[in-house]
Amino acid sequence: MKVAIIGAGASGLTSLKECIDEGIEGVVLEKENYIGGLWRFSEEVGKGGTVYRSTIINTSKELMCFSDFPIPASYSPFMHNTGVIKYFEMYAEKFDLYKHIRYNTFVHQIKQASDYDQTGRWDIVTSPSDDHANKTTTTYDGVMVCSGHHWDPRMPSFKGMDVFKGKQMHSHDYKDYRGFENKRVVVVGIGNSAVDVACETSHHASKVFLSTRRGTWVFSRLGPGGQPIDHVFNRFINAVMPTSMLEAELKKGCEARFNHEHYGLKTSYRVLAQHPTMSDELPVRIICGSVKVKDNVESLTEHDVTFTDGTVEKDIDVIVYSTGYKFGFPFLDPSIVEVVENKCDLYKYVFPPHLKHATLAMVGFVQPVGAIMPISEMQARWVTRVFNKKSTLPSEAEMMADITGKRDHMASRYTESPRHTIEVDFIPFMDELATLIGCKPSFLSMFFTDPKLAFQCCFGPCTPPQYRLQGPHSWKGAKKAIESVDNNVINSMCTRQVKAVKSRSGFFTWFVLLGIIMVPLAYAIYRSNGDIGGAVSDIG
């Protein structure tokens, strides 16, 4: 079987690797001359991915790695974007992926082959990226679309945008703070990109105004004791803690850092009703006065911005719109996959349910509360087994029921927003796919055979190697990878030799405790005896 993989980003690389594991001939069609997709920074506007020079990941390395290739222990828990690219390059070298990648290949169209009804094959029309007139058509047995959903910026429509004399840009084209020095800047949005841009530019601009429609809850990357925050949300919490209790604890944690009302960020929405905004710096920039939080934009004039609360900020130089992305498939006819307002019908966010043959799959078109890399890998593991007919899809009616159920669940939980149309929770969705593959660990039996490992899996972070303990293409190194998580985090940070403080002996500790108890008791007895003696003297 010969399969075309569209894109050499995180989803494309792992899709290629899973094709190789299943004995499928995978060919990656990549329009650029490099791998890494949105994680590849470029100085040139319009080139590279969505990252800016200073981008740091929001999910820790232990939870964003591919399941059979952990990120090196020496890498920081929250890596810089250059570390992510280096990891992808190591992954490609480890599994010999480079020779299967065709660079500078632009995909114009994917259409059903003339014999599709009999074979399920697809014709792909491509050309060199710098010569669109020189088109060729190649037929493939299957297609995995891994082109991502962060490449088509979504711009708002505010009155006066056409008359504003300053600079207007989407955060997709933001590179770094240069050009913002001594400027008055408005950043529109309250997601991770908006907050990052506002914080970074505020060190150099004369003033930064952060405009938000509804506020947000701001999370730190650090959890209790300084551990990565995503290490806290384990299987046990996911399985037994009621949503209302989890909401209350998360809100309590956010408010413990700073009072969101006092900082102008308070929202009427529940903590879990929005995609989380991660920032360790925003409250500091607000309390320093470098960032001012404002309501939504109402209108623009040549130099001023009016907000919905009626306030006006004058002499604005730059407006950065961090207003998200649209996603779609421009190389596919809408009759195959139609996207309307960031919504489309895909079973498990992968397979179009109405097609006669399950030979077209979308990988990585989700917005997880957590890392996308392991989810893309899990989808690819499932897809390749479907392609090889080791797994089958249910009926169209059953697939549509699943799609509708997920859509209704999102509507009931999340605020209405284009960014929430493909939202998934990490552990439940990973388990859902793992069940289809046959690689979900059996924790009940594990508690009897290896209780230490079972405890780590259930009460520690839900790391991707858990899905390599058993099932198809299991990995012998999975157990060690799971058990090494805590040490990997500590060793990557503790780069200075710290002498452990010698503990007091057990006898000394008990002696101190006995003293703490006995001294007040002796004093109480003394006072009591003194009072009794005085009383006897009076009677005499």
Side-chain angles (χ1 to χ4, degrees):
M1 189 175 187
K2 187 176 182 180
V3 170
I5 300 162
I6 314 302
S11 298
L13 292 175
T14 193
S15 292
L16 174 58
K17 189 264 184 184
E18 296 309 322
C19 279
I20 295 171
D21 282 356
E22 280 292 328
I24 295 171
E25 181 186 351
V27 179
V28 176
L29 307 178
E30 170 54 54
K31 69 176 182 178
E32 304 294 349
N33 61 354
Y34 51 77
I35 67 170
L38 67 87
W39 287 100
R40 177 75 66 171
F41 173 75
S42 173
E43 298 274 2
E44 185 180 349
V45 173
K47 287 287 187 180
T50 60
V51 298
Y52 21 94
R53 189 187 306 277
S54 61
T55 299
I56 303 293
I57 61 175
N58 286 330
T59 53
S60 66
K61 65 171 183 173
E62 302 297 334
L63 275 83
M64 70 168 282
C65 67
F66 297 120
S67 61
D68 55 358
F69 192 71
I71 295 173
S74 60
Y75 280 40
S76 300
F78 291 100
M79 299 185 296
H80 185 260
N81 61 82
T82 52
V84 178
I85 288 295
K86 189 172 182 180
Y87 171 67
F88 290 157
E89 291 171 344
M90 289 188 293
Y91 183 78
E93 291 172 3
K94 169 70 175 178
F95 298 107
D96 199 19
L97 305 183
Y98 282 117
K99 65 183 181 183
H100 302 281
I101 303 173
R102 296 181 183 175
Y103 297 105
N104 299 308
T105 302
F106 188 88
V107 175
H108 292 272
Q109 186 180 18
I110 301 174
K111 58 184 179 179
Q112 295 176 348
S114 58
D115 60 354
Y116 172 83
D117 284 343
Q118 293 75 39
T119 65
R121 299 197 301 172
W122 297 86
D123 287 340
I124 301 184
V125 181
T126 63
S127 74
S129 293
D130 58 355
D131 184 11
H132 287 189
N134 186 18
K135 296 179 181 177
T136 58
T137 301
T138 308
T139 302
Y140 294 89
D141 299 302
V143 180
M144 300 173 76
V145 178
C146 308
S147 50
H149 55 89
H150 285 115
W151 55 268
D152 189 6
R154 176 185 293 274
M155 290 291 285
S157 178
F158 295 127
K159 180 182 177 182
M161 287 178 68
D162 56 334
V163 300
F164 182 70
K165 297 294 186 181
K167 181 178 180 179
Q168 298 180 78
M169 62 184 291
H170 193 277
S171 57
H172 179 79
D173 295 323
Y174 176 81
K175 300 300 179 180
D176 57 30
Y177 67 87
R178 289 179 294 182
F180 289 80
E181 296 94 337
N182 303 314
K183 305 291 187 184
R184 286 172 61 80
V185 181
V186 172
V187 179
V188 180
I190 199 65
N192 291 303
S193 295
V195 168
D196 284 351
V197 171
C199 288
E200 180 168 275
T201 56
S202 71
H203 288 273
H204 308 276
S206 62
K207 188 66 66 178
V208 174
F209 303 97
L210 181 60
S211 169
T212 172
R213 285 181 296 172
R214 53 177 174 251
T216 192
W217 297 103
V218 181
F219 291 84
S220 170
R221 289 181 175 88
L222 304 183
Q227 65 178 316
I229 185 65
D230 52 9
H231 285 209
V232 175
F233 302 103
N234 54 45
R235 289 184 175 277
F236 178 77
I237 289 176
N238 182 73
V240 305
M241 182 174 283
T243 302
S244 58
M245 184 181 296
L246 180 59
E247 287 264 5
E249 288 300 314
L250 290 174
K251 182 178 179 180
K252 181 179 177 182
C254 288
E255 291 285 58
R257 289 182 66 210
F258 65 93
N259 186 308
H260 282 57
E261 181 178 358
H262 294 172
Y263 282 65
L265 293 168
K266 185 177 180 180
T267 175
S268 60
Y269 294 103
R270 305 185 315 276
V271 178
L272 296 177
Q274 301 180 89
H275 191 81
T277 297
M278 308 287 292
S279 179
D280 298 290
E281 192 178 9
L282 180 60
V284 176
R285 303 312 298 166
I286 293 174
I287 203 169
C288 290
S290 301
V291 172
K292 299 289 186 181
V293 181
K294 305 290 290 187
D295 275 333
N296 194 26
V297 172
E298 176 70 32
S299 62
L300 284 63
T301 60
E302 290 187 352
H303 302 287
D304 306 338
V305 176
T306 300
F307 299 91
T308 53
D309 61 357
T311 60
V312 179
E313 294 299 338
K314 296 183 177 296
D315 301 321
I316 298 300
D317 300 296
V318 186
I319 303 176
V320 182
Y321 299 106
S322 297
T323 45
Y325 294 84
K326 298 173 285 185
F327 84 87
F329 310 100
F331 39 71
L332 282 169
D333 189 87
S335 64
I336 298 173
V337 179
E338 184 178 19
V339 181
V340 179
E341 291 297 316
N342 276 26
K343 297 177 183 177
C344 64
D345 292 339
L346 293 173
Y347 178 58
K348 308 299 183 189
Y349 304 96
V350 175
F351 286 104
H354 66 284
L355 295 181
K356 183 176 180 179
H357 299 281
T359 53
L360 174 68
M362 316 297 167
V363 177
F365 289 90
V366 292
Q367 181 73 49
V369 181
I372 193 171
M373 288 79 158
I375 291 179
S376 293
E377 180 191 41
M378 194 69 77
Q379 287 179 325
R381 292 176 70 181
W382 176 48
V383 167
T384 52
R385 291 181 63 79
V386 171
F387 282 178
N388 268 347
K389 295 182 170 51
K390 295 177 181 178
S391 296
T392 58
L393 301 183
S395 68
E396 180 180 347
E398 291 174 299
M399 288 191 281
M400 282 305 304
D402 183 84
I403 292 168
T404 302
K406 283 181 168 55
R407 191 169 291 158
D408 291 344
H409 171 71
M410 283 192 297
S412 66
R413 171 175 162 180
Y414 290 101
T415 59
E416 186 176 354
S417 170
R419 75 186 302 206
H420 294 146
T421 57
I422 50 175
E423 199 85 12
V424 296
D425 289 320
F426 184 78
I427 296 177
F429 192 59
M430 288 284 281
D431 281 353
E432 191 175 336
L433 294 171
T435 300
L436 296 172
I437 298 166
C439 63
K440 182 181 176 182
S442 175
F443 298 109
L444 182 60
S445 60
M446 193 188 299
F447 267 109
F448 291 99
T449 58
D450 195 337
K452 181 180 177 182
L453 179 62
F455 187 89
Q456 176 68 20
C457 288
C458 292
F459 295 94
C462 182
T463 54
Q466 292 187 16
Y467 299 98
R468 293 285 181 176
L469 289 169
Q470 62 187 61
H473 307 293
S474 58
W475 176 46
K476 291 182 179 179
K479 177 181 176 180
K480 182 179 179 181
I482 295 167
E483 294 175 339
S484 301
V485 167
D486 292 340
N487 285 335
N488 289 348
V489 172
I490 295 170
N491 292 339
S492 66
M493 296 189 301
C494 193
T495 54
R496 167 179 169 260
Q497 293 295 323
V498 179
K499 292 182 179 180
V501 178
K502 292 183 179 181
S503 61
R504 301 284 189 176
S505 67
F507 173 79
F508 181 82
T509 301
W510 280 108
F511 181 80
V512 171
L513 290 174
L514 185 62
I516 292 172
I517 296 171
M518 292 303 296
V519 168
L521 181 62
Y523 180 73
I525 292 173
Y526 167 77
R527 288 296 303 270
S528 176
N529 287 340
D531 292 342
I532 293 172
V536 171
S537 175
D538 290 341
I539 293 171

